Amino acid sequence: MDFLYNDVQNMLRDSIRKFVEKEIASYTSEWEEKMEFPEDVMKKLGENGFLGIPYPEEYNGQGLGYQEYIIVLEEIARYSASLAIAVAVNGLPQLIIDKFGNEEQKKNYLPKLSSGELTGAFALTEPDYGSDAKSIKTFAERKGDYFVVNGTKRFISQAGVADVYILLSRTKNTGSSHDITAFILTKDMDGVTFGKHEKKMGLNATPTREIYLDDVKIPAENMVGEEGFGFKIAMMALDSGRITIASTAIGIAEAAKNCALEYAVTRKQFGRPIVDFQGVSFPLADMETKINAARLLTQRAAFLRDSGLPYTKEASMAKLFATDVAMEVTTNAVQILGGNGYMRDYPAERYMREAKVMQIVEGTNQIQRLVISRLMIKEVSQQI
Ligand code: CAA
């Protein structure tokens, strides 16, 4: 076991830090306030290789792993959770096409999704089916060389901005998860329109919108993997996605802890810095401890993934723990800043709003507990 970053990981962390300090740190508040997605910065992330970390070099990736990818995501999330989510969401079509796509699909999409020339998103959730993902109703009817698709997707991160979507749709109606198929949908296809920009508690610099699919003709060649294999593809992609959400949450928590620590050593009350009071320093100690524990859990899930070992349970544990830690840390950071914590002049309240959604996206933390407990039961059943 090795708990230290290797040379490549150290270099990567230094270079993403430099990028973030130059291109992101000073602009986040403005993007959030104006509800503006920084498409130019996303493109620059791609041009600098940060969007292609865990993908093969032959498709313009860096040929590294999730252990490196989470370093990048955490650093981005420390300054812009919106951008980190955009990168994580871009990763879902990347990993699905990389793992399940045919050669043509890989050649057409992977290099551009890594370079930032195209951006991607993931369309699973529907107005009536969120946690119960296998009940989705969007339907794709085969007509010769095309599938004609009708339905509505909801709460889609990066909808309207993203060029390429992995769309999950039923291609049969028996009610089984084996009816669901994955397709590559592009935003320029006839019949694709987007709903209003949802007004959200946080992550305002990345759009969340509905996608309406009205007789959209998707070429059969855009099917990813086999017909009826889409639900498994979505679940496997979410296993990986949950690691990226964990690292995003750790980035938010780290930023909140640093903000609270700096405040606590400079703010004076009763003639001393407030950090002299254990009511302030002990919560800071808990923050540091829990963030480190969350990071180790996330690194372990990433390590298992990179090693080709099962990691579904570990990814859910990392997502569950890291996002709950982020919620606790950001709430306590607001408390340490007192009245200033509640004001928009300080970033603490933004971190708290951003942490909340991490407990919801890519499977609520109740769903993570379901996944973890089901696997525990399966493991013990195999032993007895
Ligand atoms: N890997 C591979 N296959 C899997 C799997 C996994 N991790 N999880 C389930 N499956 C397979 C099962 O083996 C089963 O296959 P068979 O029928 O061949 O045996 C099939 O999928 C159905 O599985 P279940 O019976 O377990 O399905 P379920 O409905 O009981 O539970 C669930 C599944 C875990 C609740 C799942 O629906 C789930 O994860 N729901 C949450 C959805 C979610 O995370 N949405 C996030 C949207 S994307 C997002 O948030 C992005 C963003 O905007 C930031």
Side-chain angles (χ1 to χ4, degrees):
M1 278 205 277
D2 191 349
F3 289 98
L4 298 174
Y5 285 152
N6 60 32
D7 289 347
V8 171
Q9 291 164 343
N10 274 321
M11 265 168 49
L12 188 61
R13 193 184 52 183
D14 292 348
S15 65
I16 184 66
R17 272 195 183 161
K18 273 195 200 121
F19 181 95
V20 165
E21 278 158 18
K22 179 162 175 260
E23 306 284 352
I24 300 179
S26 317
Y27 309 104
T28 303
S29 310
E30 192 186 330
W31 298 334
E32 292 295 324
E33 206 65 41
K34 292 188 176 161
M35 298 175 73
E36 222 172 64
F37 180 67
E39 286 190 63
D40 54 330
V41 181
M42 184 77 174
K43 214 167 182 335
K44 280 188 196 164
L45 279 166
E47 286 161 3
N48 283 275
F50 296 123
L51 298 181
I53 304 286
Y55 306 106
E57 284 167 292
E58 62 174 308
Y59 303 113
N60 201 22
Q62 301 298 313
L64 297 167
Y66 261 56
Q67 291 169 97
E68 287 75 33
Y69 191 29
I70 59 175
I71 294 173
V72 169
L73 280 165
E74 182 184 329
E75 293 300 325
I76 298 173
R78 282 177 60 191
Y79 290 99
S80 172
S82 290
L83 210 42
I85 282 292
V87 174
V89 162
N90 193 59
L92 291 170
Q94 284 176 298
L95 81 92
I96 289 172
I97 295 170
D98 179 32
K99 197 165 166 56
F100 303 101
N102 58 36
E103 198 46 42
E104 201 61 18
Q105 293 167 343
K106 288 184 197 189
K107 275 200 274 184
N108 284 344
Y109 294 104
L110 285 183
K112 290 180 183 166
L113 286 168
S114 284
S115 70
E117 196 179 324
L118 293 178
T119 52
F122 182 68
L124 171 66
T125 303
E126 297 187 355
D128 292 329
Y129 303 100
S131 294
D132 183 11
K134 77 177 174 207
S135 297
I136 55 167
K137 288 285 174 283
T138 292
F139 196 79
E141 188 186 355
R142 179 131 203 178
K143 291 210 169 147
D145 289 345
Y146 286 88
F147 283 83
V148 178
V149 189
N150 284 285
T152 300
K153 293 291 172 181
R154 192 167 207 202
F155 297 150
I156 306 305
S157 304
Q158 290 291 90
V161 165
D163 309 281
V164 181
Y165 301 78
I166 292 293
L167 172 76
L168 282 309
S169 173
R170 303 203 94 76
T171 41
K172 282 196 196 125
N173 250 336
T174 69
S176 152
S177 67
H178 298 252
D179 290 354
I180 296 172
T181 302
F183 295 96
I184 296 170
L185 173 85
T186 55
K187 116 169 142 177
D188 56 7
M189 286 176 176
D190 284 343
V192 177
T193 52
F194 300 96
K196 65 176 171 31
H197 286 252
E198 301 291 352
K199 290 183 184 161
K200 297 177 290 184
M201 186 191 261
L203 295 188
N204 287 309
T206 163
T208 302
R209 300 169 74 178
E210 288 192 332
I211 305 180
Y212 308 120
L213 305 158
D214 186 10
D215 281 337
V216 180
K217 280 170 81 182
I218 302 187
E221 69 206 28
N222 281 27
M223 188 194 292
V224 185
E226 284 171 31
E227 187 169 345
F229 199 64
F231 190 73
K232 275 201 167 57
I233 290 177
M235 290 299 109
M236 287 188 234
L238 285 171
D239 285 346
S240 296
R242 286 164 186 165
I243 300 176
T244 69
I245 299 301
S247 53
T248 301
I250 293 165
I252 297 168
E254 182 72 29
K257 179 214 57 187
N258 290 338
C259 170
L261 180 60
E262 277 166 33
Y263 188 87
V265 295
T266 49
R267 170 81 172 169
K268 286 193 178 135
Q269 291 292 284
F270 307 103
R272 321 144 62 171
I274 59 170
V275 79
D276 281 0
F277 300 104
Q278 289 183 348
V280 172
S281 62
F282 281 15
L284 286 167
D286 287 344
M287 288 180 189
E288 182 77 340
T289 307
K290 289 181 185 178
I291 291 170
N292 273 279
R295 192 178 286 116
L296 285 172
L297 210 47
T298 306
Q299 285 167 338
R300 182 157 170 269
F303 166 80
L304 291 171
R305 187 191 189 282
D306 291 345
S307 309
L309 295 165
Y311 65 97
T312 301
K313 187 174 78 174
E314 286 74 12
S316 280
M317 283 167 20
K319 197 272 182 187
L320 167 64
F321 188 73
T323 61
D324 280 356
V325 163
M327 195 68 246
E328 184 185 319
V329 166
T330 56
T331 305
N332 289 341
V334 168
Q335 191 68 22
I336 288 174
L337 268 73
N340 283 325
Y342 202 65
M343 300 299 146
R344 295 217 167 178
D345 298 338
Y346 288 80
E349 60 81 33
R350 171 164 64 78
Y351 300 140
M352 187 174 166
R353 290 185 283 109
E354 290 170 345
K356 185 63 229 173
V357 80
M358 299 300 147
Q359 294 177 305
I360 298 169
V361 288
E362 302 219 4
T364 63
N365 282 4
Q366 286 72 20
I367 289 296
Q368 307 312 320
R369 290 182 172 92
L370 184 82
V371 170
I372 297 162
S373 58
R374 278 184 180 178
L375 285 167
M376 289 166 67
I377 295 163
K378 194 172 162 193
E379 280 161 16
V380 80
S381 311
Q382 282 162 355
Q383 284 162 21
I384 50 179

